[in-house]
Amino acid sequence: MSHSESNPKKSIRKGIKLFSQVDLPEQKFTNPETAGYVGFANLPNQVHRKSVKKGFEFTLMVVGESGLGKSTLVNSLFLTDLYPERVIPPAAEKINQTVKIDASTVEIEERGVKLRLTVVDTPGYGDALNCSDCFKPIIQYIDDQFERYLHDESGLNRRHIIDNRVHCCFYFISPAGHGLKPLDVEFMKALHNRVNIVPVIAKADTLTLHEIKRIKKRILEEIAGHGIQIYQLPDADEDEDEEFKEQTRLLRESIPFAVVGSTQLIEVKGKKVRGRLYPWGVVEVENPEHCDFLKLRTMLITHMQDLQEVTHDLHYENFRAQRLKGSKDSGGDEVEDPNLSEKDKMLLQKEAELRHMQQMIARMQAQMKSQQKDAGSPGKVTSHQV
Ligand code: GDP
């Protein structure tokens, strides 16, 4: 067994690198679409085989003003139509509109691996004349999922908990502004302790390269200036492959990802590509020189497990500590010490991480055995609205 194989995290990354087909540094972000698949077929490397059997669960939330291209991007990312019956309300209806929470689940299957993907859309966000309260239903939704998990975790049937917690939130920033708007700042400040926020600049094809550079810099400065904690890609270990380090570096320096979405196939130089056709040419969604779409998808797929772990170990633990504190204060009969010091919290978190690592080693061993048996079959994408 090689050194990287004895380290579960590294073996996982190795697997993911293969499936995300990111071949650095020569090819940078190559296009997994040429193989006609999204690239999560190696998720068994990340999760327990049993969970893979019943379907790997991931919840992605998309937030941003309407019209910024959220639905288009989500459909382009997962090669599926998540919103077949969508109705867009007229402006008059939007004036006093409250934010709705719209969760759609699709099952995507690739090489026999099922991904049960829930995309939580937030129509109406930023639409009303007075938007000061528009992130409250979103906070409520995230907390409700934590609450449900907490309830299920303390119940009898702990083995079969469905994890509906929000693992990642793509926050769409308008390309038309000069950086963040007050609503963007308020939202991120209110949500950064609850969910992994990944900021994206919408409709990047409306910006020149120079403008993209400028707006990215400005957004990062504003995020730092307001003390907002966005999702941080984990550091690649010192002894990690150079390719993986380079990939992490490139992904990190691309944040906030400037994306373009389209579900339309257009022929360019004899090849069908997803893109947007303009009188002056085609913007190719999956061309890394045109936008950060592939980087965003690589980030999401490569770090899916980390996004889940951070959700569990950090955001959920925060919620749990607060919740237990609250119920003790209000006379509840929870046994946990509500006055956990920072050090205790850190220790608890480390213990949880250790448990995760041990579980992962067991998973990897089981998975390696099964991989020896199974030969891969070609990828296939199926989806249905739930
Ligand atoms: P949502 O309301 O945020 O879900 O936005 P939609 O996905 O419905 O997109 C709104 C409009 O913007 C549609 O006409 C899309 O075709 C267009 N659109 C979506 N993505 C892009 C993009 O990346 N660039 C440009 N220029 N237009 C886009």
Side-chain angles (χ1 to χ4, degrees):
M1 189 183 274
S2 74
H3 175 66
S4 74
E5 276 162 349
S6 64
N7 177 334
K9 280 231 169 187
K10 282 189 199 152
S11 310
I12 288 162
R13 284 172 184 167
K14 229 173 162 181
I16 298 161
K17 202 171 59 199
L18 283 176
F19 88 86
S20 63
Q21 299 203 337
V22 175
D23 197 3
L24 289 169
E26 299 83 24
Q27 279 178 277
K28 300 205 170 145
F29 294 86
T30 53
N31 177 0
E33 289 317 297
T34 45
Y37 75 129
V38 178
F40 58 84
N42 276 24
L43 280 177
N45 286 340
Q46 299 178 55
V47 290
H48 198 289
R49 275 173 58 223
K50 272 189 191 155
S51 352
V52 170
K53 242 180 173 176
K54 71 173 175 141
F56 181 79
E57 294 162 341
F58 192 85
T59 300
L60 170 71
M61 180 179 252
V62 285
V63 184
E65 288 167 38
S66 42
L68 283 184
K70 300 184 295 296
S71 325
T72 311
L73 189 86
V74 163
N75 287 334
S76 335
L77 273 176
F78 299 104
L79 306 175
T80 182
D81 185 8
L82 266 136
Y83 313 101
E85 283 152 27
R86 185 172 176 229
V87 180
I88 296 164
E93 277 179 32
K94 290 184 185 169
I95 294 175
N96 295 313
Q97 196 179 324
T98 49
V99 175
K100 281 197 241 111
I101 303 290
D102 186 359
S104 314
T105 301
V106 282
E107 274 188 13
I108 312 175
E109 193 176 329
E110 199 166 276
R111 298 186 183 186
V113 180
K114 279 187 195 147
L115 170 66
R116 183 173 166 274
L117 169 79
T118 302
V119 176
V120 181
D121 198 355
T122 53
Y125 176 86
D127 277 354
L129 273 183
N130 178 1
C131 294
S132 58
D133 278 352
C134 70
F135 44 81
K136 292 206 174 136
I138 301 175
I139 293 180
Q140 189 62 48
Y141 180 84
I142 293 174
D143 284 356
D144 285 350
Q145 307 316 308
F146 282 148
E147 186 69 49
R148 199 159 135 190
Y149 195 87
L150 183 64
H151 177 265
D152 289 354
E153 216 182 28
S154 35
L156 282 176
N157 199 6
R158 295 180 53 180
R159 279 164 169 265
H160 303 291
I161 302 180
I162 295 179
D163 185 6
N164 284 316
R165 293 171 299 180
V166 180
H167 301 110
C168 182
C169 170
F170 285 173
Y171 188 80
F172 284 67
I173 299 162
S174 166
H178 292 283
L180 297 179
K181 294 182 183 175
L183 179 62
D184 301 334
V185 173
E186 285 309 305
F187 175 88
M188 290 200 246
K189 274 165 88 174
L191 272 286
H192 67 170
N193 284 328
R194 287 180 162 85
V195 67
N196 295 312
I197 298 177
V198 174
V200 299
I201 301 166
K203 300 189 176 181
D205 55 325
T206 60
L207 298 168
T208 64
L209 282 179
H210 177 70
E211 285 164 343
I212 288 181
K213 222 170 146 185
R214 200 174 53 195
I215 194 174
K216 280 190 175 189
K217 186 167 173 278
R218 180 84 183 251
I219 290 170
L220 287 180
E221 282 166 5
E222 287 177 335
I223 283 175
H226 289 284
I228 295 165
Q229 304 288 327
I230 54 171
Y231 172 64
Q232 296 295 325
L233 289 173
D235 281 327
D237 289 343
E238 261 312 296
D239 53 350
E240 194 70 75
D241 303 15
E242 281 311 311
E243 281 178 29
F244 186 77
K245 284 189 197 165
E246 177 68 356
Q247 178 189 316
T248 309
R249 192 187 61 73
L250 273 173
L251 291 178
R252 207 173 265 160
E253 71 177 28
S254 302
I255 296 171
F257 300 101
V259 293
V260 175
S262 170
T263 47
Q264 210 186 336
L265 284 171
I266 299 169
E267 196 160 316
V268 176
K269 293 180 195 151
K271 256 174 74 181
K272 290 246 180 213
V273 296
R274 228 115 39 84
R276 306 186 66 82
L277 177 65
Y278 291 105
W280 51 89
V282 175
V283 178
E284 296 168 38
V285 168
E286 289 145 33
N287 183 338
E289 281 170 13
H290 292 192
C291 75
D292 296 332
F293 175 89
L294 279 185
K295 289 185 188 126
L296 177 68
R297 182 162 64 196
T298 302
M299 188 288 302
L300 183 68
I301 306 281
T302 313
H303 295 284
M304 218 168 223
Q305 195 205 1
D306 189 65
L307 286 158
Q308 287 181 318
E309 281 181 7
V310 177
T311 303
H312 187 80
D313 298 341
L314 188 70
H315 301 307
Y316 175 64
E317 276 310 312
N318 270 341
F319 172 85
R320 206 168 141 263
Q322 286 298 322
R323 179 68 177 63
L324 296 179
K325 185 172 184 289
S327 62
K328 184 115 178 191
D329 289 350
S330 60
D333 56 3
E334 303 281 356
V335 285
E336 183 119 344
D337 179 3
N339 301 314
L340 285 179
S341 66
E342 279 307 306
K343 200 173 148 201
D344 288 339
K345 276 191 211 159
M346 288 257 295
L347 277 173
L348 276 176
Q349 203 169 318
K350 288 284 155 217
E351 273 176 26
E353 275 170 23
L354 210 70
R355 268 200 311 275
H356 268 286
M357 291 301 282
Q358 285 165 343
Q359 286 166 358
M360 253 186 326
I361 292 170
R363 286 171 207 161
M364 290 304 300
Q365 285 168 342
Q367 195 247 330
M368 272 156 62
K369 267 190 205 157
S370 86
Q371 271 190 347
Q372 282 166 0
K373 284 189 210 150
D374 305 338
S377 58
K380 169 177 142 219
V381 180
T382 56
S383 69
H384 67 264
Q385 189 96 12
V386 176

